Each structure stands twice: as structure tokens, then as C-alpha cells.
Amino acid sequence: MSDGPTSTLILLNLPPSILCGINLLPFTTTPTFLGIKNLPAGFHFLFTSPSASLSLRDGFWFHIPTTPTSPTTVFRKWSPEDERLIPCPESEGQAFVKAKGGWKEVYEKHLTPYRQSA
């Protein structure tokens, strides 16, 4: 699951203006947001909620290896029926990135850097 310059999380078809967060940092998505880059090694928790006004959240844990042989890319896609992120095959994720202009385009214009504070 590599090809990105740093470890990344790519979120396919995530609607704009939903509540999203990684670890303890929440934010609202934008139309250009496709994921998070520069993920440090370790365990991370990503959560979403269809509305910032709802307290219902859905999320998943994922792991970035300490010494990967190449950067790790985690792909998830939004399920409109369930209003949550579900696992995504790497081939589907790679095709999504290609359709968005390729890794360079996605990395530079559509991924937000990982932060630990606001």
C-alpha cells in the first residue's frame, strides 16, 4: 500500500462539511480534502460524523509501522448508505488517486498535513 512520498491516509468520496478527526484533533472537511499526509509511526484513530451537531461518531484504528520499507498508504471509502468509512481495496484506492490527477496532484493539493494540535 505505498506510492505516496510519506505515509498517508486517503479517504475516497468523503462528503464536504462532515466532522472528521484523527486521534484527538477534530476538523470539518472541505470539498478538496482527500486525506492526511505525513503520518508518524504508531497507532492512530480516525473518526467521522455526518454532522458536527451529532454526537454519534464512527471510527477505526490503523497502524503506521515504525520502520516501513516504503511509505504506508491506508485507503478507506465513504459509504453513503451507512454514513461511515469502510475498507477499500488498494486497487480501488490507486484508481481513485489516478482519477484525481495522480499522486503528486493529490499529495500537494488534497492532503492535509498531520498535526497533533490545532
Side-chain angles (χ1 to χ4, degrees):
M1 292 170 91
S2 63
D3 282 326
T6 64
S7 292
T8 57
L9 173 66
I10 304 290
L11 304 173
L12 288 69
N13 306 323
L14 193 64
S17 301
I18 70 163
L19 180 67
C20 188
I22 186 161
N23 301 330
L24 297 174
L25 184 64
F27 53 91
T28 303
T29 60
T30 65
T32 60
F33 175 77
L34 296 180
I36 302 168
K37 62 184 173 183
N38 305 334
L39 291 165
F43 286 94
H44 300 282
F45 186 74
L46 184 95
F47 61 90
T48 57
S49 177
S51 167
S53 64
L54 292 175
S55 61
L56 297 173
R57 308 266 191 314
D58 184 69
F60 66 96
W61 287 97
F62 65 97
H63 182 256
I64 301 297
T66 304
T67 54
T69 55
S70 61
T72 300
T73 301
V74 176
F75 294 104
R76 290 286 174 132
K77 67 179 175 181
W78 183 255
S79 168
E81 298 84 20
D82 299 327
E83 294 189 321
R84 66 185 188 99
L85 291 165
I86 59 174
C88 174
E90 182 176 359
S91 59
E92 186 177 348
Q94 294 286 359
F96 176 81
V97 168
K98 186 176 181 182
K100 293 291 182 179
W103 275 107
K104 186 175 191 294
E105 176 79 10
V106 168
Y107 189 83
E108 291 177 358
K109 297 182 179 176
H110 300 285
L111 300 180
T112 190
Y114 175 82
R115 310 186 303 261
Q116 292 187 23
S117 60

